[in-house]
mmCIF file of all heavy atoms in Angstrom:
data_model
loop_
_atom_site.group_PDB
_atom_site.id
_atom_site.type_symbol
_atom_site.label_atom_id
_atom_site.label_comp_id
_atom_site.label_asym_id
_atom_site.label_seq_id
_atom_site.Cartn_x
_atom_site.Cartn_y
_atom_site.Cartn_z
ATOM 1 N N SER A 40 103.392 99.734 97.346
ATOM 2 C CA SER A 40 103.827 98.345 97.360
ATOM 3 C C SER A 40 102.635 97.404 97.237
ATOM 4 O O SER A 40 101.593 97.621 97.831
ATOM 5 C CB SER A 40 104.571 98.068 98.661
ATOM 6 O OG SER A 40 104.831 96.705 98.795
ATOM 7 N N GLU A 41 102.824 96.320 96.523
ATOM 8 C CA GLU A 41 101.793 95.300 96.357
ATOM 9 C C GLU A 41 101.455 94.646 97.694
ATOM 10 O O GLU A 41 100.345 94.186 97.908
ATOM 11 C CB GLU A 41 102.297 94.235 95.373
ATOM 12 C CG GLU A 41 101.279 93.218 94.964
ATOM 13 C CD GLU A 41 100.280 93.753 93.957
ATOM 14 O OE1 GLU A 41 100.617 94.623 93.154
ATOM 15 O OE2 GLU A 41 99.138 93.265 93.973
ATOM 16 N N GLN A 42 102.415 94.583 98.615
ATOM 17 C CA GLN A 42 102.210 93.855 99.859
ATOM 18 C C GLN A 42 101.098 94.424 100.717
ATOM 19 O O GLN A 42 100.534 93.729 101.543
ATOM 20 C CB GLN A 42 103.502 93.807 100.664
ATOM 21 C CG GLN A 42 103.883 95.146 101.272
ATOM 22 C CD GLN A 42 105.249 95.121 101.915
ATOM 23 O OE1 GLN A 42 106.052 94.273 101.610
ATOM 24 N NE2 GLN A 42 105.491 96.050 102.802
ATOM 25 N N ASN A 43 100.755 95.695 100.547
ATOM 26 C CA ASN A 43 99.750 96.307 101.408
ATOM 27 C C ASN A 43 98.411 96.503 100.717
ATOM 28 O O ASN A 43 97.522 97.091 101.290
ATOM 29 C CB ASN A 43 100.245 97.668 101.911
ATOM 30 C CG ASN A 43 101.418 97.510 102.835
ATOM 31 O OD1 ASN A 43 101.506 96.534 103.570
ATOM 32 N ND2 ASN A 43 102.346 98.448 102.785
ATOM 33 N N SER A 44 98.274 96.044 99.490
ATOM 34 C CA SER A 44 97.030 96.308 98.769
ATOM 35 C C SER A 44 95.857 95.659 99.482
ATOM 36 O O SER A 44 95.936 94.561 100.000
ATOM 37 C CB SER A 44 97.134 95.806 97.331
ATOM 38 O OG SER A 44 97.313 94.415 97.327
ATOM 39 N N GLY A 45 94.763 96.353 99.534
ATOM 40 C CA GLY A 45 93.553 95.820 100.148
ATOM 41 C C GLY A 45 93.498 95.948 101.669
ATOM 42 O O GLY A 45 92.537 95.523 102.277
ATOM 43 N N LEU A 46 94.504 96.530 102.302
ATOM 44 C CA LEU A 46 94.520 96.584 103.752
ATOM 45 C C LEU A 46 94.020 97.903 104.324
ATOM 46 O O LEU A 46 93.918 98.052 105.525
ATOM 47 C CB LEU A 46 95.955 96.350 104.267
ATOM 48 C CG LEU A 46 96.532 94.980 103.992
ATOM 49 C CD1 LEU A 46 97.976 94.931 104.487
ATOM 50 C CD2 LEU A 46 95.721 93.898 104.662
ATOM 51 N N PHE A 47 93.752 98.877 103.458
ATOM 52 C CA PHE A 47 93.453 100.209 103.969
ATOM 53 C C PHE A 47 91.972 100.523 103.939
ATOM 54 O O PHE A 47 91.273 100.199 103.012
ATOM 55 C CB PHE A 47 94.214 101.268 103.172
ATOM 56 C CG PHE A 47 95.677 101.165 103.421
ATOM 57 C CD1 PHE A 47 96.485 100.526 102.522
ATOM 58 C CD2 PHE A 47 96.218 101.660 104.583
ATOM 59 C CE1 PHE A 47 97.831 100.386 102.766
ATOM 60 C CE2 PHE A 47 97.558 101.530 104.838
ATOM 61 C CZ PHE A 47 98.368 100.896 103.929
ATOM 62 N N GLN A 48 91.545 101.170 105.001
ATOM 63 C CA GLN A 48 90.219 101.753 105.071
ATOM 64 C C GLN A 48 90.438 103.244 105.247
ATOM 65 O O GLN A 48 91.527 103.692 105.545
ATOM 66 C CB GLN A 48 89.458 101.223 106.282
ATOM 67 C CG GLN A 48 89.280 99.730 106.295
ATOM 68 C CD GLN A 48 88.719 99.277 107.642
ATOM 69 O OE1 GLN A 48 88.351 100.090 108.475
ATOM 70 N NE2 GLN A 48 88.665 97.994 107.830
ATOM 71 N N SER A 49 89.387 103.983 105.120
ATOM 72 C CA SER A 49 89.507 105.419 105.360
ATOM 73 C C SER A 49 89.890 105.666 106.803
ATOM 74 O O SER A 49 89.468 104.957 107.709
ATOM 75 C CB SER A 49 88.174 106.098 105.054
ATOM 76 O OG SER A 49 88.212 107.420 105.489
ATOM 77 N N LEU A 50 90.717 106.686 107.053
ATOM 78 C CA LEU A 50 91.069 107.037 108.428
ATOM 79 C C LEU A 50 89.852 107.498 109.213
ATOM 80 O O LEU A 50 89.873 107.520 110.441
ATOM 81 C CB LEU A 50 92.152 108.119 108.447
ATOM 82 C CG LEU A 50 93.546 107.645 108.079
ATOM 83 C CD1 LEU A 50 94.506 108.828 108.105
ATOM 84 C CD2 LEU A 50 94.036 106.567 108.998
ATOM 85 N N ALA A 51 88.788 107.853 108.530
ATOM 86 C CA ALA A 51 87.560 108.216 109.232
ATOM 87 C C ALA A 51 87.014 107.017 110.011
ATOM 88 O O ALA A 51 86.328 107.174 111.002
ATOM 89 C CB ALA A 51 86.515 108.711 108.232
ATOM 90 N N ASP A 52 87.359 105.792 109.557
ATOM 91 C CA ASP A 52 86.912 104.575 110.229
ATOM 92 C C ASP A 52 87.866 104.145 111.336
ATOM 93 O O ASP A 52 87.631 103.159 112.004
ATOM 94 C CB ASP A 52 86.799 103.429 109.231
ATOM 95 C CG ASP A 52 85.781 103.716 108.141
ATOM 96 O OD1 ASP A 52 84.878 104.534 108.391
ATOM 97 O OD2 ASP A 52 85.899 103.121 107.060
ATOM 98 N N ARG A 53 88.989 104.849 111.513
ATOM 99 C CA ARG A 53 89.999 104.488 112.502
ATOM 100 C C ARG A 53 90.283 105.700 113.379
ATOM 101 O O ARG A 53 89.685 106.753 113.238
ATOM 102 C CB ARG A 53 91.267 104.043 111.792
ATOM 103 C CG ARG A 53 91.013 102.874 110.858
ATOM 104 C CD ARG A 53 92.290 102.248 110.510
ATOM 105 N NE ARG A 53 92.068 101.132 109.605
ATOM 106 C CZ ARG A 53 92.835 100.090 109.597
ATOM 107 N NH1 ARG A 53 93.851 99.999 110.405
ATOM 108 N NH2 ARG A 53 92.613 99.118 108.745
ATOM 109 N N THR A 54 91.245 105.558 114.262
ATOM 110 C CA THR A 54 91.553 106.672 115.148
ATOM 111 C C THR A 54 92.705 107.516 114.645
ATOM 112 O O THR A 54 93.141 108.424 115.332
ATOM 113 C CB THR A 54 91.881 106.154 116.563
ATOM 114 O OG1 THR A 54 92.994 105.271 116.462
ATOM 115 C CG2 THR A 54 90.689 105.454 117.159
ATOM 116 N N GLY A 55 93.233 107.251 113.492
ATOM 117 C CA GLY A 55 94.303 108.053 112.910
ATOM 118 C C GLY A 55 95.469 107.210 112.439
ATOM 119 O O GLY A 55 95.504 106.008 112.633
ATOM 120 N N MET A 56 96.424 107.877 111.812
ATOM 121 C CA MET A 56 97.567 107.176 111.240
ATOM 122 C C MET A 56 98.379 106.419 112.282
ATOM 123 O O MET A 56 98.775 105.290 112.026
ATOM 124 C CB MET A 56 98.469 108.126 110.456
ATOM 125 C CG MET A 56 99.495 107.359 109.648
ATOM 126 S SD MET A 56 100.736 108.319 108.762
ATOM 127 C CE MET A 56 99.899 109.713 108.178
ATOM 128 N N PRO A 57 98.649 106.973 113.484
ATOM 129 C CA PRO A 57 99.426 106.195 114.456
ATOM 130 C C PRO A 57 98.768 104.857 114.785
ATOM 131 O O PRO A 57 99.446 103.836 114.867
ATOM 132 C CB PRO A 57 99.485 107.113 115.676
ATOM 133 C CG PRO A 57 99.350 108.483 115.118
ATOM 134 C CD PRO A 57 98.398 108.333 113.947
#
Side-chain angles (χ1 to χ4, degrees):
S40 171
E41 188 76 31
Q42 72 187 20
N43 293 327
S44 63
L46 295 177
F47 292 100
Q48 301 171 8
S49 170
L50 286 179
D52 299 336
R53 302 196 181 211
T54 59
M56 191 185 322

